Amino acid sequence: DARVTQTPRHKVTEMGQEVTMRCQPILGHNTVFWYRQTMMQGLELLAYFRNRAPLDDSGMPKDRFSAEMPDATLATLKIQPSEPRDSAVYFCASAQSGGANIQYFGAGTRLSVL
Amino acid sequence: DQQVKQNSPSLSVQEGRISILNCDYTNSMFDYFLWYKKYPAEGPTFLISISSIKDKNEDGRFTVFLNKSAKHLSLHIVPSQPGDSAVYFCAAKSGGSNYKLTFGKGTLLTVNP
């Protein structure tokens, strides 16, 4: 049963601390997305990668957020320093190039910054 | 500027009846539309999609209709079941190999037994 795996599922931290969220895309998928879901904004695209190269990170606050793909099986989203307004659910999704444009989502990381 | 709008935050229907969820878009470059379903504490899961060259796509109890002139699409669920209770997101993309999706804010569907 292929699925996108995200860790941790929940994270509570204090303002100013570094937060790292991890995502394992579905094996064989070469496109990875990071989204943030809030009540006010809904699902916002933060960044996405194709073949591990960043294609678009225009949705990401550049001063504190960074996204990387160290290898094809791991994507990371880092916030440093974290702020209370970063509290949200962060989703990772992956897709297969040449497929039917279907993105498969992980279960998300619920982040609370106190 | 919201390019994909779901104007009804919630919808409640009786089991066995039809559920109709609506979605409007403003970007005329969108050429592919998707519906995702989301249960609490889970990620969105793909439900059904439609290309702009079609006006209807059907998959079992789910049918998506696209009206390009009105920039409107709708998802019909017939018959509705209690297990369909979830948040439904409309999403759109433009341009061939561009995988970037723009999502609406979602509609919470409750199907009452």
Side-chain angles (χ1 to χ4, degrees):
Chain A
D1 183 26
R3 62 180 67 188
V4 175
T5 304
Q6 289 187 246
T7 56
R9 291 294 314 275
H10 303 275
K11 177 71 176 179
V12 180
T13 191
E14 293 187 348
M15 183 172 63
Q17 296 298 304
E18 178 178 298
V19 175
T20 298
M21 290 168 271
R22 293 177 174 80
C23 169
Q24 181 177 9
I26 292 172
L27 190 64
H29 284 192
N30 67 342
T31 310
V32 176
F33 305 81
W34 282 106
Y35 289 89
R36 174 170 63 182
Q37 184 185 20
T38 61
M39 290 295 293
M40 293 299 294
Q41 300 297 329
L43 267 170
E44 306 172 88
L45 178 67
L46 297 175
Y48 81 102
F49 295 77
R50 174 89 43 82
N51 297 322
R52 296 175 55 199
L55 285 193
D56 186 342
D57 62 0
S58 58
M60 212 163 60
K62 300 291 192 302
D63 55 339
R64 299 182 300 108
F65 284 59
S66 62
E68 295 179 344
M69 279 201 75
D71 62 60
T73 65
L74 176 65
T76 62
L77 179 66
K78 193 172 294 187
I79 308 174
Q80 168 63 22
S82 58
E83 298 181 0
R85 60 179 167 153
D86 300 328
S87 298
V89 181
Y90 291 81
F91 290 104
C92 174
S94 70
Q96 189 171 35
S97 188
N101 304 296
I102 307 305
Q103 294 182 22
Y104 296 85
F105 283 76
T109 294
R110 180 175 293 277
L111 174 65
S112 296
V113 183
L114 307 177
Chain B
D1 177 29
Q2 231 186 320
Q3 297 186 65
V4 177
K5 298 180 184 179
Q6 295 177 255
N7 292 319
S8 297
S10 63
L11 174 69
S12 182
V13 300
Q14 285 300 119
E15 181 178 5
R17 305 297 291 267
I18 184 172
S19 296
I20 300 176
L21 297 101
N22 293 303
C23 177
D24 297 294
Y25 61 96
T26 57
N27 188 340
S28 57
M29 299 301 291
F30 287 147
D31 59 4
Y32 197 80
F33 304 88
L34 306 91
W35 285 93
Y36 280 80
K37 178 170 74 173
K38 184 184 179 305
Y39 292 119
E42 295 183 11
T45 55
F46 170 72
L47 189 58
I48 192 170
S49 63
I50 188 167
S51 165
S52 60
I53 62 173
K54 295 185 175 181
D55 54 17
K56 176 183 174 181
N57 190 25
E58 191 171 353
D59 184 2
R61 297 185 297 113
F62 303 91
T63 303
V64 56
F65 295 92
L66 175 62
N67 182 334
K68 289 185 292 292
S69 60
K71 294 192 176 66
H72 176 84
L73 62 155
S74 60
L75 174 68
H76 293 211
I77 307 174
V78 183
S80 301
Q81 299 174 353
D84 296 329
S85 298
V87 176
Y88 289 78
F89 290 98
C90 172
K93 67 175 286 294
S94 61
S97 61
N98 174 14
Y99 281 72
K100 187 173 175 177
L101 291 179
T102 301
F103 283 84
K105 291 191 177 182
T107 296
L108 173 62
L109 173 66
T110 303
V111 181
N112 301 302

